[in-house]
Amino acid sequence: MDNLESNYIDISFALLKRLNRPLIFDVYVKRGENSFSKIFKKGDLLDFDRIRVYEEKGIDVFYVTEEEHSLYCIYVEKLGEVLNERAQSFKPNEAHEVLKELSQHTLKEIQETLEVSSASIKNAKNVVDGCIRRVSKDPKNVIKVMKLLSHQPYQLKHSVSVSMFAVLLAIADGMESDLNIQSVGLGGFFHDIGIGQLTFDPEDQKFLTAEQRKEMWRHPELGKEMLKQVKGIKSDVVQIVLQHHEQPNGHGYPNGLRGPEIYYPAKIVAIAYAFCSLISKKSYREAYPVSKAVEKLKEDHGKYDKKILETLTKLVLPNF
Ligand SMILES: [Fe+2]
Ligand SMILES: [Fe+2]
């Protein structure tokens, strides 16, 4: 047993197995409630025969210490870059693992620091480009990535699934420019980062008090403020974050914009988040089945752009 005082964080087995150079962090397995053993040390090459023995024993979760987790994150960031340079060198499950681990690391950093660094923007672009590639191959890959994220905190699942659905919707809606599609994906990924600055977690509650509702209305502005100064972010991504709760009927927030005044990509993200929110289980209700979720969005007419809603219907009913 080592490092008794440390906390341990699980790492992706599929990604660990891709490592073909000496380790830059120690790797542990869990022996019991609070006991971990070091099985590989820094500088070692992975011993695949030993890994196979662990697999045969049913051990397929490996850990790093909290202190060395940032070294593992560097490895994940690097994989995000490789994924976009040489996507063909990844098996589909490995690509999905990179997307999960990289988005988790990127959003956690933002939540903890309440700041967006230019490194976070770069990582988010790698996530979004990877997502674009996966969903263009097969829209059902969204479901695979969502499954991988199923045990993660709500905001993380929500950001990644909204990003992927927004990309799918943009493509289905006829958006052609790769850069515009990337902006929609980034807008989806970052749309709710302002929520981290609120004094409460809106996802835990079915109803908000008047006070909380007022605070909630500020999250698009807060998100915009977090993003607008960062190097490498385009202004259309900032506009999406600011406008994702505007409604064509003028009843949205923060500015009560009407139909054509709302930025079109923000309307796409608005439908993607509303749909993703309905098909997710909340602490106070079950998840809506896909067809019921579409029906519900259509009942709320006025809140959403009609044309994009039609595109969503044609997209999700046959595919999901
Ligand atoms: Fe929001
Ligand atoms: Fe949202």
Side-chain angles (χ1 to χ4, degrees), residues 36 50 146 220 297 305:
F36 293 79
R50 259 175 83 199
M146 279 174 83
L297 292 179
D305 183 274

Side-chain angles (χ1 to χ4, degrees), residues 220-263:
E221 283 276 1
L222 293 169
K224 173 192 137 186
E225 289 305 315
M226 288 167 79
L227 281 176
K228 73 172 191 198
Q229 310 289 6
V230 193
K231 239 176 95 188
I233 197 84
K234 290 196 349 204
S235 61
D236 45 353
V237 179
V238 181
Q239 282 310 308
I240 294 174
V241 173
L242 178 65
Q243 296 190 19
H244 75 275
H245 284 288
E246 297 288 356
Q247 298 174 7
N249 59 14
H251 295 166
Y253 63 89
N255 294 314
L257 301 179
R258 290 188 153 271
E261 293 170 330
I262 306 170
Y263 189 45

Side-chain angles (χ1 to χ4, degrees), residues 55-91:
E55 271 183 295
E56 278 161 16
K57 286 190 201 158
I59 299 174
D60 58 1
V61 186
F62 295 92
Y63 297 82
V64 293
T65 60
E66 199 172 27
E67 293 78 29
E68 290 194 345
H69 189 246
S70 58
L71 297 172
Y72 168 72
C73 291
I74 293 175
Y75 171 55
V76 169
E77 287 185 10
K78 188 82 204 137
L79 285 177
E81 284 167 30
V82 181
L83 179 64
N84 285 317
E85 285 156 14
R86 284 183 279 117
Q88 70 285 1
S89 72
F90 288 78
K91 294 181 200 137

Side-chain angles (χ1 to χ4, degrees), residues 20-244:
N20 52 9
R21 55 183 67 182
L23 282 161
I24 54 170
F25 42 79
D26 296 331
V27 176
Y28 296 78
V29 289
K30 193 171 189 170
R31 297 288 186 196
E33 181 64 15
N34 282 315
S35 74
F36 293 79
S37 299
K38 190 188 290 183
I39 54 161
F40 298 116
K41 59 179 192 313
K42 267 183 280 252
D44 283 354
L45 276 171
L46 281 185
D47 176 346
F48 284 91
D49 290 334
R50 259 175 83 199
I51 288 199
R52 214 162 299 123
V53 173
Y54 286 116
E55 271 183 295
E56 278 161 16
K57 286 190 201 158
I59 299 174
D60 58 1
V61 186
F62 295 92
Y63 297 82
V64 293
T65 60
E66 199 172 27
E67 293 78 29
E68 290 194 345
H69 189 246
S70 58
L71 297 172
Y72 168 72
C73 291
I74 293 175
Y75 171 55
V76 169
E77 287 185 10
K78 188 82 204 137
L79 285 177
E81 284 167 30
V82 181
L83 179 64
N84 285 317
E85 285 156 14
R86 284 183 279 117
Q88 70 285 1
S89 72
F90 288 78
K91 294 181 200 137
N93 75 312
E94 292 173 343
H96 297 157
E97 285 280 338
V98 174
L99 297 175
K100 170 193 158 221
E101 294 285 289
L102 187 56
S103 50
Q104 186 177 11
H105 155 61
T106 307
L107 287 162
K108 206 167 154 233
E109 194 166 86
I110 296 173
Q111 267 170 7
E112 281 169 6
T113 59
L114 291 182
E115 262 173 44
V116 186
S117 65
S118 43
S120 298
I121 302 283
K122 194 172 132 205
N123 291 334
K125 279 183 183 164
N126 282 332
V127 168
V128 168
D129 288 347
C131 287
I132 294 174
R133 229 176 257 125
R134 297 308 303 157
V135 301
S136 319
K137 253 214 162 84
D138 181 0
K140 291 190 180 71
N141 280 327
V142 176
I143 302 298
K144 291 188 181 147
V145 176
M146 279 174 83
K147 274 213 177 107
L148 276 185
L149 290 167
S150 60
H151 298 294
Q152 299 298 322
Y154 179 81
Q155 277 306 336
L156 172 68
K157 277 186 287 195
H158 185 60
S159 301
V160 179
S161 49
V162 170
S163 178
M164 291 183 104
F165 268 106
V167 161
L168 267 180
L169 257 182
I171 296 171
D173 203 52
M175 192 178 276
E176 281 172 355
S177 144
D178 288 347
L179 271 181
N180 291 346
I181 296 170
Q182 188 197 52
S183 291
V184 168
L186 285 169
F189 188 78
F190 287 125
H191 76 283
D192 271 343
I193 51 168
I195 283 191
Q197 300 214 30
L198 306 184
T199 56
F200 64 99
D201 181 0
E203 288 317 319
D204 283 346
Q205 282 146 289
K206 187 171 183 183
F207 299 107
L208 301 181
T209 64
E211 200 71 1
Q212 287 173 327
R213 214 171 310 131
K214 244 173 133 182
E215 201 183 325
M216 183 68 185
W217 287 339
R218 294 185 54 225
H219 82 271
E221 283 276 1
L222 293 169
K224 173 192 137 186
E225 289 305 315
M226 288 167 79
L227 281 176
K228 73 172 191 198
Q229 310 289 6
V230 193
K231 239 176 95 188
I233 197 84
K234 290 196 349 204
S235 61
D236 45 353
V237 179
V238 181
Q239 282 310 308
I240 294 174
V241 173
L242 178 65
Q243 296 190 19
H244 75 275

